[in-house]
């Protein structure tokens, strides 16, 4: 099996320094000799940095797979509240792009109950062939029947790669099926490409996100990758797509489940500002309480929430639970748009780790511009209504 | 953990064998079920011998048995190989009715070992359990936290569940239990103790995925200032929101 071998002659006298090479503490000194323990993750850093002390030894025959038998990029469509989840369209766009590089078809798998009518949409967003399993046993996502369907689809179509949305159901279905086929799965990819050998080049953050890893599945098919929602763009819709829809069925005995869904109810949307992905923040630049409605409207269009600085909460314009800062809440949204906020340190302490900070302020010396990724010098009373109008006209507000 | 962008070497800070915080919720769920319905709780983990500290902590919370899968030949395992090794370890460790996993790890953050493990054991699984309602007559009733919905389900035992953070408040380790369990033996399993002894199925050999290279992420903390007119800026802002996928969301 592949393992790391140590040249003990070269290692002599350098044990202490070599032990430090391994970020996982897997290199140790045992009985006066250097050894690699079970903590090894085969990251191969020691090989790279060890000046020849460590080498990779691989004496096992590699299982090879005939890659020419596995063709096509497949996307497992996801249904959410009776509609196709937009992550499916994003994946179809990426699948189309990858397929073009190696001259592969794009397949889509549609699973559910009463979903046949949605199959045409998958063609519009890039699928060449859609395989539909529309059966009453598939009304709810239950792992055994859904895995049985994906297994049947793979046996029938033999796709080279399968892309699955990194949603809770996708993150359950993809690994279960990958294990059934004893093949590789790379979760939460942020970039995907394909090599001429049809290996997926999968890039994902590793070890808490401070490191990126490039991962391949060189000797197994199919290759599974999950991608989270909103990583890839939604492709342009085609008006008169060509393509075929295949209606498939599995025998009811293959769709039995040990899971019984008793009831499903919509969650009340009562997230606090800490959980919001998008926050619009009102500061002292807002002149009267009535003007908050326009900021609230923008927050609503972006699927986010309205939050306040301390000054506005103390003035009684906003709820204390929606206050950001040292005396309020600490937030880490994907996007924070501050409107008329000066950016006192007490405020910044509660929001500086937001992923993207956009600050609108008419005073170009406002300290908020030191923390904002995008600083907009201007009048929020012109910019915000104009922005709201554009979002409404584009029809791209939150559904 | 971080990577040094100049030298390409991983910085060692913060890498140690300690309990994955998400697993505390799994342990607490097991302890609550035991309080109400009885049973024996086994904590199982795969890792270097240093993982003993993790099992000791589980003992201090009230876990009955501890198993560590540790073998040089398990090194370099990806999701598939890790799940397979755990499945083999569970078979070697004895019978079970329910397997509880934490939501995810804090390093890989893939949240996929639970589903693969259930497949290798041939038992059903559900993820995202946020509430346990009942457990009797061979089945577990629980609620699942889905993105838009709360779903109540029943699942037959034996099965595997992954629990959400916050399902229960994890208890603190107890000093009394520490004293009582100080000399409790931890079962150490190597490849030779597992039903499948073929080394090809473990570690790097049993891993279909290969890490081709690792590199530091791009730094996107650039700051910019827009000084145009209000009309220009609102257009630019709209394009920014559109291009960065803040529009056209599901909800």
């Amino acid at each position: 099996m592949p393992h790391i071998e140590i040249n003990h002659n070269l290692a002599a006298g350098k044990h202490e320094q070599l032990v430090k090479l391994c970020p996982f503490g897997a290199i140790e000194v045992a009985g006066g000799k250097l050894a690699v323990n079970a903590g090894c993750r085969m990251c191969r850093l020691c090989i790279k940095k060890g000046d020849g002390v460590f080498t990779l030894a691989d004496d096992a025959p590699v299982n090879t797979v005939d890659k020419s038998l596995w063709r096509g990029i497949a996307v497992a469509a996801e249904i959410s509240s009776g509609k196709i989840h937009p992550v499916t369209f994003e994946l179809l766009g990426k699948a189309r792009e990858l397929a073009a590089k190696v001259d592969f078809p794009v397949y889509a798998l549609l699973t559910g109950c009463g979903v046949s009518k949605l199959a045409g949409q998958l063609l519009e967003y890039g699928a060449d062939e859609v395989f539909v399993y529309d059966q009453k046993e598939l009304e709810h996502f239950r792992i055994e029947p859904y895995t049985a369907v994906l297994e049947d689809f793979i046996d029938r179509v033999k796709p080279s790669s399968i892309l699955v949305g990194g949603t809770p159901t996708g993150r359950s279905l993809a690994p279960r099926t990958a294990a059934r086929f004893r093949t590789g799965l790379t979760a939460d990819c942020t970039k995907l490409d394909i090599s001429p050998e049809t290996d997926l080049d999968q890039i994902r953050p590793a070890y808490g996100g401070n490191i990126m890893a490039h991962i391949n599945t060189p000797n197994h098919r199919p290759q599974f990758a999950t991608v989270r929602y909103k990583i890839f763009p939604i492709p342009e819709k085609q008006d008169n797509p060509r393509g075929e829809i295949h209606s498939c069925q599995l025998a009811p005995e293959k769709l039995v489940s040990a899971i019984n869904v008793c009831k499903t109810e919509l969650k009340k949307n009562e997230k606090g500002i800490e959980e919001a992905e998008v926050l619009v923040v009102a500061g002292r630049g807002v002149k009267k309480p009535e003007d908050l409605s326009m900021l609230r409207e923008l927050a609503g269009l972006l699927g986010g929430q309205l939050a306040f600085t301390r000054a506005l909460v103390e003035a009684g314009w906003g709820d204390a639970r929606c206050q950001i800062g040292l005396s309020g809440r600490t937030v880490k949204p994907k996007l924070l748009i501050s409107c008329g906020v000066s950016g006192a340190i007490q405020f910044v302490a509660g929001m500086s780790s937001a992923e993207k900070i956009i600050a609108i302020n008419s005073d170009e010396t406002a300290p908020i511009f030191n923390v904002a990724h995008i600083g907009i010098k201007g009048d929020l009373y012109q910019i915000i209504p104009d922005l709201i109008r554009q979002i409404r006209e584009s029809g791209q507000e939150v559904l | 953990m971080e990577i040094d962008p100049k030298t390409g070497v991983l910085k060692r800070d913060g890498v140690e064998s300690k309990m994955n915080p998400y697993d505390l919720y799994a342990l607490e769920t097991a302890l609550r079920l035991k309080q109400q319905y009885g049973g024996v709780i086994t904590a199982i983990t795969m890792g270097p011998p240093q993982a003993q500290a993790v099992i000791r902590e589980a003992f201090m919370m009230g876990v009955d048995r501890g198993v560590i899968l540790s073998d040089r030949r398990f090194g370099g395992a990806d999701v598939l190989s890790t799940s397979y090794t755990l499945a083999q370890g569970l078979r070697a460790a004895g019978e079970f009715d329910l397997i509880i996993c934490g939501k995810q790890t804090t390093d890989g953050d893939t949240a996929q070992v639970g589903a693969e493990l259930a497949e290798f054991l041939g038992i059903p699984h559900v993820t995202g359990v946020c509430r346990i309602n009942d457990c009797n007559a061979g089945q577990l009733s629980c609620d699942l936290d889905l993105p838009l919905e709360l779903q109540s389900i029943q699942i037959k035992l034996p099965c595997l569940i992954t629990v959400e953070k916050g399902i229960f408040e994890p208890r603190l380790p107890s000093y009394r239990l520490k004293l009582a369990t100080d000399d409790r033996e931890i079962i150490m399993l190597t490849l030779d103790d597992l039903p499948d002894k073929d080394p090809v199925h473990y570690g790097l050999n049993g891993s279909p995925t290969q890490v081709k290279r690792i590199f530091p992420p791009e730094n996107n903390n650039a700051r910019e200032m827009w000084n145009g007119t209000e009309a220009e800026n609102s257009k630019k802002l709209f394009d920014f929101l559109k291009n960065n996928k803040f529009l056209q969301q599901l909800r």
Side-chain angles (χ1 to χ4, degrees), chain A residues 55-270:
Chain A
T55 46
L56 185 70
D58 188 356
D59 43 11
V62 177
N63 294 331
T64 49
V65 61
D66 184 351
K67 294 177 187 173
S68 67
L69 298 178
W70 296 84
R71 282 181 52 79
I73 314 277
V75 172
E78 171 150 350
I79 305 292
S80 173
S81 307
K83 287 190 205 143
I84 293 176
H85 192 295
V87 71
T88 303
F89 302 135
E90 297 171 1
L91 293 178
L92 280 170
K94 178 54 77 174
R96 191 76 266 160
E97 191 187 311
L98 299 174
K101 292 188 180 177
V102 288
D103 193 23
F104 267 174
V106 173
Y107 303 117
L109 169 65
L110 181 59
T111 313
C113 176
V115 294
S116 296
K117 57 181 186 289
L118 304 173
Q121 290 181 38
L122 298 171
L123 295 177
E124 287 170 354
Y125 283 96
D128 296 308
E129 292 183 52
V130 182
F131 295 78
V132 186
Y133 292 75
D134 191 340
Q135 295 181 255
K136 73 171 192 309
E137 292 88 344
L138 301 169
E139 182 186 354
H140 297 288
F141 175 82
R142 292 181 300 172
I143 192 65
E144 313 97 307
Y146 269 65
T147 308
V149 165
L150 184 48
E151 181 186 6
D152 187 68
F153 165 78
I154 293 169
D155 287 339
R156 187 189 288 249
V157 177
K158 298 227 177 301
S160 174
S161 298
I162 300 169
L163 311 184
V164 184
T167 58
T169 54
R171 281 150 69 97
S172 197
L173 177 65
R176 181 114 198 177
T177 317
R180 188 159 296 180
F181 285 85
R182 300 226 170 189
T183 188
L185 161 68
T186 306
D188 299 333
C189 300
T190 52
K191 275 185 191 163
L192 285 177
D193 205 339
I194 196 160
S195 75
E197 296 78 40
T198 73
D199 291 343
L200 269 186
D201 288 318
Q202 305 158 118
I203 312 279
R204 77 177 302 268
Y207 311 124
N210 295 319
I211 298 169
M212 304 301 287
H214 177 166
I215 297 168
N216 281 136
T217 305
N219 302 310
H220 294 74
R221 290 292 183 269
Q223 318 166 76
F224 277 88
T226 66
V227 181
R228 289 205 192 194
Y229 178 34
K230 285 192 263 181
I231 294 290
F232 298 136
I234 293 184
E236 291 292 321
K237 195 169 139 180
Q238 298 162 32
D239 282 339
N240 295 303
R242 285 178 298 153
E244 286 172 66
I245 296 172
H246 307 277
S247 180
C248 312
Q249 269 211 315
L250 265 191
E253 64 266 23
K254 291 202 169 171
L255 298 176
V256 286
S257 173
I259 300 162
N260 177 25
V261 176
C262 308
K263 71 168 195 259
T264 304
E265 55 186 64
L266 277 179
K267 269 198 285 201
K268 291 185 207 87
N269 193 4
E270 51 186 24

Side-chain angles (χ1 to χ4, degrees), chain B residues 14-26:
Chain B
V15 188
E16 51 188 302
S17 277
K18 62 176 187 185
M19 178 96 70
N20 168 23
Y22 291 100
D23 290 348
L24 292 171
Y25 298 99

